[in-house]
Amino acid sequence: MVRRKQMAEASAEAVPVPPLQQPSKIPNALRFPILVLMSMALSSALYAGASNFGTGDLATVMRRRDQWWEITGLLAWKAVELGIGWWGEYDGWDIACLTLLSHMPYLYLLTTFYAVRPTTMWLGICIDVLSTYLPFTLLRDSSPVHKSEVSKDQVANRSILNDLQIQFYTSFLAAAVYGLVVFASFRGWLPEYLIVHFEGLRDLSGAHEAALPFLTLGFTLSGYAAQSFLFVPALGAKPDVHDMHMAEFDPETATLSETVWYNIWGYSKRSRTLIKRTATLAFASAMQTGLRTYITVNGVEFAGAAGWAAMWASAALLVGGVFWWVGNVEGVSN
C-alpha cells in the first residue's frame, strides 16, 4: 500500500522536533482556562443559533436534564476532553479530527435509529468541531507534521506523508475498518441489544438494510480524520532520546527494572505515538459516546449506552492496529 521506493528515501536520524510555537502572549497559566471558556461559549452560541435553522427534531428524543450531576458531568467531560488535547500537545487540526471521530457516533445513533435528519447530524458535528478547532488555532500554532512545507529534518517520512495517493489509500482503509465493525455489529449482536436497552427507537431498518460498501463510503470523512489523527503524526515522528536509550539496551547487563521497562515501552517513537493516540481516540470515543447517549437520549439504559460506545472504541483500536501494520514495513524510518 505504501510505495517502498518512497519509503527508502526516509531518514532515520534523531533530530529533535521543536515544540509547538505559542503565537500569543497570554501567560501559560491562563491559556487552558481561556481555552475552556472560549470553547464552551462558542459551542453554546452556535447551538443557540442553530436552533433557529431546523434542529428541533433533536428535542423529540432528548431527555430533560434536571439533575445537577447530569449537567456537571457533561461540562466536566468537556473540560477533560479539551485538557487531553491541550496537554497532549495537539494542534487545532488534531483536536478537530479527534472531536469529529469521538462525537460522530452519538449523532450517527440519532440519525440511524431515531429519525433525526442527516442535516441536523452534520450541523451538530460542524458545531462541535469548530468550537474546539478555533480556540486551539488561536492559542497554539500548527504542529510541524501538519505543515507540508516543513523539511524532513523536523518530520520523518515527509515524502510519504505528502503523497496524495497514500493519503487516499490510508483514509479509505480506515473508513473500511469503521464500516466493517459497524456492519458486523448490525448483522450480529447490535439490533437485539438496541431493542433491549434502548426505549423509544423509531427505526431499525438502518441496521437490517446496511451494506458494507455504502457504510464504508459513509465513513469516508471519519477515515480521513483517523488517518490525520493517527497515521500522519505517527509516521512523521522523529526518533528521540528514548529511542537512543532503547538502542543501547543490553539484555545481558540490564537490571530487572530496565528489562521490564524495555519490554513494556521499548518501542520506537513512531509506535509510541500511534499507541498513545489510538488509546486516546478509543477512550474519548467511549466516554463521549457513552456519557452523551446515556445522559441526553430519552429511554437509554446505562448498559445500552456502554455497549454502543464500546463498539466505536473497538473500531478505533482496530484502526490503530491496522495503521501500525501499514507503517511497520521495510524502508519506513522509525
Side-chain angles (χ1 to χ4, degrees):
M1 185 168 293
V2 180
R3 288 179 290 182
R4 295 177 182 269
K5 182 178 179 180
Q6 290 179 302
M7 295 174 180
E9 300 174 355
S11 171
E13 298 179 359
V15 179
V17 178
L20 298 184
Q21 300 177 0
Q22 302 290 349
S24 173
K25 296 182 180 180
I26 300 174
N28 289 332
L30 296 179
R31 290 181 185 275
F32 181 65
I34 292 175
L35 174 75
V36 174
L37 292 175
M38 288 177 59
S39 179
M40 290 186 176
L42 183 59
S43 178
S44 298
L46 290 175
Y47 270 110
S51 63
N52 299 320
F53 297 95
T55 59
D57 47 348
L58 284 175
T60 62
V61 299
M62 297 292 99
R63 71 168 58 170
R64 293 185 57 185
R65 298 191 296 272
D66 50 8
Q67 298 293 327
W68 67 269
W69 65 268
E70 296 175 332
I71 299 175
T72 303
L74 290 175
L75 292 177
W77 167 245
K78 178 68 173 179
V80 170
E81 191 177 27
L82 294 170
I84 290 173
W86 185 255
W87 280 292
E89 297 187 350
Y90 298 166
D91 62 7
W93 188 247
D94 285 325
I95 198 66
C97 293
L98 178 61
T99 300
L100 187 149
L101 291 168
S102 60
H103 289 224
M104 179 271 298
Y106 165 79
L107 294 168
Y108 183 77
L109 171 73
L110 300 183
T111 300
T112 305
F113 302 113
Y114 286 90
V116 172
R117 290 173 297 178
T119 53
T120 300
M121 180 191 75
W122 287 112
L123 184 59
I125 288 177
C126 289
I127 291 174
D128 291 345
V129 170
L130 285 175
S131 63
T132 53
Y133 172 78
L134 292 178
F136 266 81
T137 301
L138 291 173
L139 294 172
R140 173 171 286 169
D141 193 17
S142 296
S143 170
V145 76
H146 291 139
K147 296 179 178 179
S148 59
E149 70 276 6
V150 172
S151 69
K152 64 180 181 180
D153 292 335
Q154 296 185 31
V155 178
N157 304 302
R158 182 79 271 178
S159 60
I160 299 175
L161 296 177
N162 287 347
D163 190 284
L164 295 179
Q165 187 176 354
I166 294 174
Q167 292 178 26
F168 171 79
Y169 285 150
T170 50
S171 298
F172 178 81
L173 182 60
V177 172
Y178 270 106
L180 181 61
V181 171
V182 174
F183 178 77
S185 300
F186 282 176
R187 284 291 184 267
W189 62 277
L190 189 59
E192 182 178 351
Y193 193 85
L194 291 174
I195 293 173
V196 173
H197 298 288
F198 286 70
E199 295 182 9
L201 289 176
R202 298 179 181 178
D203 188 6
L204 280 175
S205 62
H208 296 303
E209 299 174 1
L212 182 57
F214 293 107
L215 285 173
T216 299
L217 184 62
F219 288 121
T220 300
L221 184 59
S222 296
Y224 178 70
Q227 183 260 2
S228 298
F229 182 73
L230 298 176
F231 186 74
V232 170
L235 205 66
K238 297 286 290 185
D240 57 8
V241 176
H242 178 89
D243 291 301
M244 291 186 283
H245 288 327
M246 292 299 102
E248 298 171 355
F249 175 79
D250 186 351
E252 295 183 356
T253 60
T255 64
L256 177 61
S257 61
E258 290 173 341
T259 302
V260 172
W261 179 245
Y262 178 84
N263 290 327
I264 293 176
W265 201 235
Y267 302 103
S268 66
K269 179 63 179 297
R270 184 186 70 221
S271 295
R272 283 181 283 120
T273 299
L274 183 57
I275 290 171
K276 289 189 289 186
R277 285 187 171 239
T278 300
T280 299
L281 176 57
F283 174 75
S285 298
M287 292 296 295
Q288 169 68 24
T289 304
L291 280 176
R292 200 170 178 186
T293 301
Y294 177 64
I295 292 177
T296 65
V297 181
N298 191 34
V300 176
E301 299 177 3
F302 178 80
W308 179 252
M311 181 185 73
W312 296 98
S314 300
L317 292 174
L318 187 56
V319 170
V322 169
F323 279 153
W324 179 86
W325 171 73
V326 170
N328 194 31
V329 296
E330 182 181 355
V332 177
S333 67
N334 292 322

